[in-house]
Amino acid sequence: VRLAVLNEPEAEEEVIFNQHQQLPRTRWSLEDEGIGPADTHWHDSRRKSKVATNGQSDVAFSSPLETEVIPDQKLLQQISRAESSGGCRDSSRKIDPHLDFFLALAICNTVVVSMANAHRQRACMSPSSSQTNNPLEAFSSMLKKAGALFQRKSKRNYSLSEDPVIDSTKTESSRDPNRLQTCSLHALSQNDILTAESEDLCYEAESPDEAALVYAARAYGFILLARTPNSVTVRLPSGEELVFEVLDTLTFDSNRKRMSVLVRHPVTKEYVLYTKGADYAIMELLGTPYAENISGIEKNIAAYTQHHLDCYAKEGLRTLCITKKVVSESTYQSWLGKRKRAQAAIECREELIMETAVQLETKLTLLGATGIEDRLQENVPDTIVALREAGIHVWLLTGDKPETAVNIGYACRLLEEEDLVINMSCQNKLTCTSILDCTLEEVRRYGEDPRNVGTTLNISLVIDGNTLAMAMSPDLQERFVDLAKQCRSVLCCRVTPLQKSRVVKLVREKLKVMTLAVGDGANDVNMIQAADIGIGISGQEGMQAVMASDFAISRFKHLKRLLLVHGHWCYTRLANMVIYFFYKNVAYVNLLFWYQFFCGFTAMTMIDYWLMIFFNLFFTSTPPILFGIFDKDVSAEVLQGVPELYRTGQGKGEYNFLTFWISILDAFYQSLVCFFIPYLAYQDSDVDIFTFGMPLNTAALFTILLHLAIEIKSWTVVHWIIMLGSVALYFIVTLAYSAVCVTCNPPSNPYWILQSQMADPMFYLICTLSTVVALLPRYTFHVLKNSVAPSPLLQGRQLDRMEPSTRNQWIKEWRGFRGGPLVKRYELSDPPSPTRATPVDFFTESLTDADFMGDDNSLNVITDNHHRAVQYDDNLFRKL
């Protein structure tokens, strides 16, 4: 967390994530703080501290160290002076802006306060003493409770002598034979009790940002003690507790991009509106820093604050502005009537409520700004790189500022140093059209240039919410999609939840691709529901995204295994199983089809009806199901080490119409072999119809099961049991059926057919010859294919046969030295080519300067070497 207060515009802010745990203070002075140079990290050393703390935790505030803050020394001086001059207790004086700033941090939120220990530890007392009315015993009971509180504090390894504010006094306690604990009168002071109680507070916030601001206010002595629907209790650095009456809460929404809390100050009795929100939304309510209706001092404050916000955004911090407004009694009463009418409305209720909020949030007074560091989880850059190597196009949709989004893009390797980064930001549709046309023309000219043959142009697009809204208009959709197809990655900044879902739908409809959306917050629900597949990350942003998703993961790094391993396995299993079921049914049904040519198409069958039913129901049903559950063509280690194997399932991969029709033709061939070899063997003989059909049915069983055995890539004990069990079940059921069924299918008689066949050597010869001839083409095809032109999956299976150390070394060398297409810098012939430091704007010659008056448009090439501290990923939308 970083803070900028309006009265210190030129001072460098300090990093206040601490390295050492400290107790909350109850008195405030510079001497009491004991903050030395070793405890404070200034702006010039901030980058080192970010890297040092980056490995401490994966999620914000997941450990006690993340919630502890080192206060800024200069701010402490301002707070001490404000407290000494009366602070919030003097109703006749104007409240110091520093105190207002931290009061806003503590009040303007929806944080719920609870106790860390729900069940408070009680002092040991006898039953008789708890029911007495003796004043001495009541006083003794109070002291015993204080002693129990002191013991709980001691168990947490806190030493009273380590705090310079609290007087170190020893507490003497003893137990009498009746198990009563007694404490001396000088055991605890009031400050000790307040400090211990504040340590037991637990803050439950809707987002980590809110929790970060509350913890920051607490570090400066403004402790949020309790929150109810009608009041908020805050303890000041002096130890005084103020109870603010909450008159209304204007909740955050994606249109306003801010939230406000209207309270009545307990001292001044003023109606105060505290507001926090996105910097660009708040600055518009103040009037821009260059507006003429702002006085010189206020203009300087807004300009300094905007400068700080820009610096924070470039470093990847998530910025907020904090404001205040004092509302008069008449204005409040008038607004309250409109608010009640809006809340009671039946039609357009949401719109009316938002209008009342907008009416009150005007002419705000800027108090300060905050910057919060959201670090990436572990292995996020590796996951992004692996997904891109797997052929997955990655888009980033976020509500952050463009500077923050670019910083995140470089941190998670969504943007690379050699990328051409196109930054689109414009205010009118004419400019947006011009930029799209010029960019598409340059991309086309680059591809047609003979000098660029065999090279790849890596383009990344950064576009803000306003420009995105114009680019997604019906007349510009096609151009925007054409440009997006040429980009390796797209970063959409300052987008609303509705825009996120619109982008997903646009990609699905225009590009005809499978889409996957990943999010961790409530603002990602629309995007997750609009995508073909939604994945929610369970974390500190709440469970809304998880509840709306198809899959839930706890860390972003698990997305790599989910897609590259389980996604690949699931695809290959389903594809093979579906193809096999078609093959099996075609092969078996065609046996009956060929027989119709010899029975005059009378629908007579040479196999008993019950045996045909049992064939698909019992004998050949379980093996393909287990094949679709347990089969693994390549191990998980190889699939994660070689992400390119995921491409075999994309587009026209190994499982396409050609594979399907080859399997169907193979089924026709096998049915011909299984029918005509028995037919030729028994030609001109006097065998009955079931004697002819029994070896045919047995040969079909062996052929179908051995065909599956050829397709299985990973054999387990379960596979062997099921395959052998299916054959054994066939013979057991058929022998039993032939033994007990004397007249089951008149006029034919299946009685004792299999028993007689198994005593005839011709039966075994027919079954063996039919199975070998039927499977010979498929076996030969696999041998030639794997020998002449091995597929990437086969090469991956060959890696599985290596020793683990050899395999890992091979994968490491392959990833380090594998070749790829040559990447050249983007060269423009006209207009001149951009350089590392020179942004380039593209305009058509037909447009005049008046068309761009007051418009902030840019098409900037960014190729700087961005050595950024890692930031937390916001919302990732993936196009598969």
Side-chain angles (χ1 to χ4, degrees), residues 32 208 231 402 506 617 651 705 757 786:
D32 290 340
S231 66
L506 177 66
L617 188 61
L705 291 181
Q757 288 285 326
N786 297 338

Side-chain angles (χ1 to χ4, degrees), residues 388-560:
R388 297 174 71 168
E389 291 175 351
I392 301 175
H393 296 273
V394 185
W395 290 30
L396 172 64
L397 308 181
T398 177
D400 292 334
K401 298 180 65 175
E403 296 86 352
T404 305
V406 171
N407 180 280
I408 295 173
Y410 280 105
C412 66
R413 296 192 64 182
L414 189 62
L415 300 177
E416 299 291 350
E417 297 176 3
E418 68 275 5
D419 287 354
L420 169 70
V421 181
I422 302 175
N423 187 4
M424 290 185 60
S425 178
C426 50
Q427 300 297 330
N428 59 65
K429 195 172 182 179
L430 186 61
T431 307
C432 182
T433 304
S434 174
I435 291 178
L436 288 175
D437 291 339
C438 292
T439 307
L440 288 173
E441 178 64 21
E442 289 299 323
V443 172
R444 184 189 62 80
R445 290 164 58 184
Y446 180 90
E448 295 176 353
D449 193 340
R451 297 173 297 177
N452 299 325
V453 176
T455 63
T456 301
L457 178 62
N458 295 329
I459 303 177
S460 296
L461 176 64
V462 180
I463 184 170
D464 61 14
N466 294 332
T467 309
L468 180 64
M470 292 181 284
M472 294 180 63
S473 58
D475 55 332
L476 296 181
Q477 278 187 4
E478 295 295 337
R479 305 178 193 179
F480 174 70
V481 172
D482 291 341
L483 177 59
K485 287 193 299 184
Q486 306 295 330
C487 297
R488 190 171 65 168
S489 58
V490 178
L491 280 73
C492 301
C493 319
R494 284 183 173 176
V495 294
T496 63
L498 181 60
Q499 284 181 316
K500 293 180 182 180
S501 62
R502 290 186 59 193
V503 171
V504 175
K505 294 177 182 178
L506 177 66
V507 172
R508 288 182 58 185
E509 295 172 359
K510 298 297 182 180
L511 298 183
K512 308 297 181 182
V513 293
M514 185 75 68
T515 57
L516 181 148
V518 184
D520 63 348
N523 55 348
D524 305 320
V525 171
N526 293 338
M527 174 182 66
I528 290 175
Q529 293 179 339
D532 296 291
I533 304 170
I535 297 179
I537 301 178
S538 59
Q540 306 236 348
E541 294 288 345
M543 297 296 293
Q544 293 90 337
V546 172
M547 298 299 293
S549 62
D550 301 302
F551 300 92
I553 56 180
S554 60
R555 290 288 188 273
F556 184 82
K557 65 178 181 180
H558 299 322
L559 187 65
K560 178 180 178 180

Side-chain angles (χ1 to χ4, degrees), residues 51-71:
V51 176
T53 59
N54 199 25
Q56 292 180 1
S57 177
D58 300 332
V59 184
F61 304 116
S62 61
S63 66
L65 288 178
E66 296 291 344
T67 63
E68 295 297 328
V69 176
I70 294 180

Side-chain angles (χ1 to χ4, degrees), residues 246-251 256 258-264 271-275 282 285-286 323-339 343 352-365:
V246 178
L247 303 176
D248 206 336
T249 300
L250 311 181
T251 58
R256 291 166 43 244
R258 57 187 177 270
M259 73 159 294
S260 301
V261 176
L262 181 62
V263 298
R264 176 180 291 172
Y271 297 96
V272 181
L273 180 72
Y274 291 109
T275 304
I282 296 296
L285 302 178
L286 303 175
T323 63
K324 170 190 174 181
K325 177 182 180 181
V326 178
V327 182
S328 64
E329 176 73 23
S330 58
T331 303
Y332 170 70
Q333 295 299 334
S334 176
W335 177 85
L336 182 61
K338 298 178 182 178
R339 183 74 170 178
Q343 293 175 343
L352 293 175
I353 290 177
M354 188 177 68
E355 287 180 4
T356 58
V358 173
Q359 291 175 4
L360 191 62
E361 295 169 334
T362 57
K363 299 181 179 179
L364 304 178
T365 301

